[in-house]
Amino acid sequence: MKFPHDFLFGAASAAYQIEGAWNEDGKGITNWDAFSKIPGKTFEGTNGDVAIDHYHRYPEDIKLMAEMGLESYRFSISWARIIPDGDGAINEKGIQFYNNIIDECLKYGIVPFVTLYHWDLPQALEDKGGWINKDIVNAFARYAEICYKAFGDRVKHWITFNETVVFCTLGYLNGAHPPGYVNDAKKYFQATHHVFVAHARVIQIYKSLKQYGEIGITHVFNPAYGVDEKEENQQAAFHANNYQTFWYYDPILKGEYPTYVIDALREKELTPDWNEEELALLREMAGNNDFIGLNYYQPARVIKIDEPAESIAMDRDKSTGRPGNPSFDSYYRTVMMDDKVYTKWGWEISAEGFMQGLRMIKDRYGDVKLYITENGLGDEDPIIEGEIVDVPRIKYIEEHLRAVKLAIQEGINLKGYYAWSVIDLLSWLNGYKKQYGFIYVDHKNNLERRKKLSFHWYKHIIATRGEEL
Ligand code: BG6
């Protein structure tokens, strides 16, 4: 089988991880510009000041994407380039930059797929309470509307937020991302609620503008499985899925929060401060999402724990996706298992867990349209005689693309696949050591770009529409 003609083969990036030019052309300071400079917060103190300098090199980068045959490019807009302080004056040079990116994509027939929020928040808004302050919903709505009006004539695919569970967990429970709170479950749930309301608001605005494109949200897709068949571990998986998946997907797709979580939050006095107007908006907008984007890297293997777990203030190593952490409520722990295969960073490789999870999504949410908006292998790529022979990445993507094909054959409504990442970029907590791209960036040689083996492989997959998979 070839992939259907309307299926998009893509690859992705995010502004902070590639652009650099952190203080150029009127851009405001973001939470990450500030946070990454606090000693000890990132791997070897790396930050996105220069990143891979995509801000200046985008013509070369997009040309390479075109050479690879990429059909669609997912990238994010940095809010602080458009509105430096988040809710004040517009920076025309920021608008111009993204116009250039979009036009450059269209020049080669590459479909731009734009994320509005991939974690870099204007610091001025963070200073006012960030996602904890209800005012952020209005600020985000205004920012989104400015983007729709500036770019919506050419951008027909919008993602509101990237991975709310990650920026909220790491920002309010683990302290590993800005704003760096530790163990603050009250703030954590409050922030997630504001994100969902902001999402609903900007869906409403988008639909009212009648730009006739599509809009949705991207979530981490981290299906949980019990480590064995024991009832308590199956219950742990149920619990984890409710908190890590349904809490995030239900308000978007069903317009309400899962009762299992709501009941527990009420008991623990952790219910977010929400009002009837917000809840009504969630209900009203639930049917208006055009798709859900799934970022899949690994499943979660969970085990029930009984004893109160140690504080979940994690060291950086444990905040980067490696299993081993207790849940915030000390109900379960994620674990590594002897019979599973892991990346160098301890992320499980499981196309089968992916497939099973896709079935779970279909069971719960029906025929919702899906895109895989991220999937890929973080590795230290082998270089042999000057060639970047990233065979493990090819193998990883091949296995997952096979699962995508199988899912389509099973009737799951999957319309595109975006490898993470199109080019090597800055990992938020792992610096440049952990590579994901089809294009290599040589940090010892003036950030020179080079094609990896996977570049040629993906080009072939796209050209043959995955027929050989
Ligand atoms: C996703 C993010 O969570 O994972 C990306 O959306 C990120 O921005 C990717 O880079 C890989 O994470 P890491 O920690 O391996 O760089």
Side-chain angles (χ1 to χ4, degrees), residues 14 17 74 118-119 162-163 166 220 295 297 320 347 374 420 425-430 434 436:
Q17 298 179 272
R74 173 182 174 229
H118 200 127
W119 306 352
N162 181 70
E163 297 190 351
V166 173
V220 165
N295 289 356
Y297 291 91
T320 53
W347 293 22
E374 285 181 30
W420 185 268
L425 38 68
L426 173 69
S427 165
W428 305 88
L429 301 177
N430 302 292
K434 193 178 187 185
Y436 279 94

Side-chain angles (χ1 to χ4, degrees), residues 429-446:
L429 301 177
N430 302 292
Y432 298 100
K433 199 176 156 88
K434 193 178 187 185
Q435 299 155 277
Y436 279 94
F438 295 118
I439 301 164
Y440 178 83
V441 176
D442 191 345
H443 287 266
K444 294 199 184 97
N445 184 19
N446 191 32

Side-chain angles (χ1 to χ4, degrees), residues 82-283:
I82 305 290
I83 310 167
D85 66 358
D87 57 4
I90 297 175
N91 175 34
E92 287 304 330
K93 286 197 171 155
I95 303 260
Q96 191 51 50
F97 172 65
Y98 293 107
N99 270 331
N100 294 345
I101 297 281
I102 293 161
D103 292 345
E104 201 69 13
C105 285
L106 294 176
K107 180 168 116 187
Y108 298 108
I110 297 172
V111 174
F113 214 119
V114 175
T115 310
L116 287 168
Y117 188 82
H118 200 127
W119 306 352
D120 46 349
L121 179 71
Q123 181 60 33
L125 292 182
E126 190 78 273
D127 292 340
K128 293 182 198 165
W131 291 105
I132 298 306
N133 182 345
K134 281 198 187 297
D135 292 346
I136 199 161
V137 175
N138 286 334
F140 186 71
R142 176 170 173 264
Y143 158 61
E145 187 165 352
I146 289 166
C147 290
Y148 300 153
K149 288 183 171 159
F151 313 123
D153 56 336
R154 290 151 293 146
V155 173
K156 297 296 172 191
H157 305 269
W158 295 92
I159 292 166
T160 56
F161 289 91
N162 181 70
E163 297 190 351
T164 310
V165 69
V166 173
F167 73 84
C168 289
T169 301
L170 298 186
Y172 300 97
L173 294 175
N174 300 354
H177 276 200
Y181 289 102
V182 175
N183 250 339
D184 201 326
K186 184 84 188 156
K187 284 197 175 66
Y188 164 78
F189 284 105
Q190 189 64 53
T192 63
H193 174 65
H194 288 153
V195 171
F196 304 139
V197 175
H199 166 82
R201 272 284 297 286
V202 305
I203 294 269
Q204 189 178 44
I205 294 168
Y206 186 67
K207 298 289 167 177
S208 75
L209 292 176
K210 299 206 185 308
Q211 293 191 337
Y212 302 109
E214 58 173 10
I215 186 160
I217 195 168
T218 275
H219 280 326
V220 165
F221 183 44
N222 187 216
Y225 305 105
V227 288
D228 56 28
E229 291 305 315
K230 274 193 203 142
E231 203 186 318
E232 59 173 16
N233 294 330
Q234 291 302 313
Q235 177 59 29
F238 173 80
H239 189 90
N241 280 325
N242 264 279
Y243 279 86
Q244 299 295 305
T245 301
F246 306 154
W247 178 261
Y248 290 88
Y249 288 56
D250 280 16
I252 308 293
L253 294 172
K254 290 171 172 263
E256 58 187 24
Y257 291 100
T259 42
Y260 178 81
V261 181
I262 291 194
D263 291 348
L265 295 189
R266 196 175 298 128
E267 218 168 274
K268 295 189 166 97
E269 299 186 355
L270 289 175
T271 310
D273 167 21
W274 53 35
N275 57 47
E276 195 34 52
E277 200 187 328
E278 292 166 350
L279 297 175
L281 183 67
L282 294 185
R283 283 195 296 273

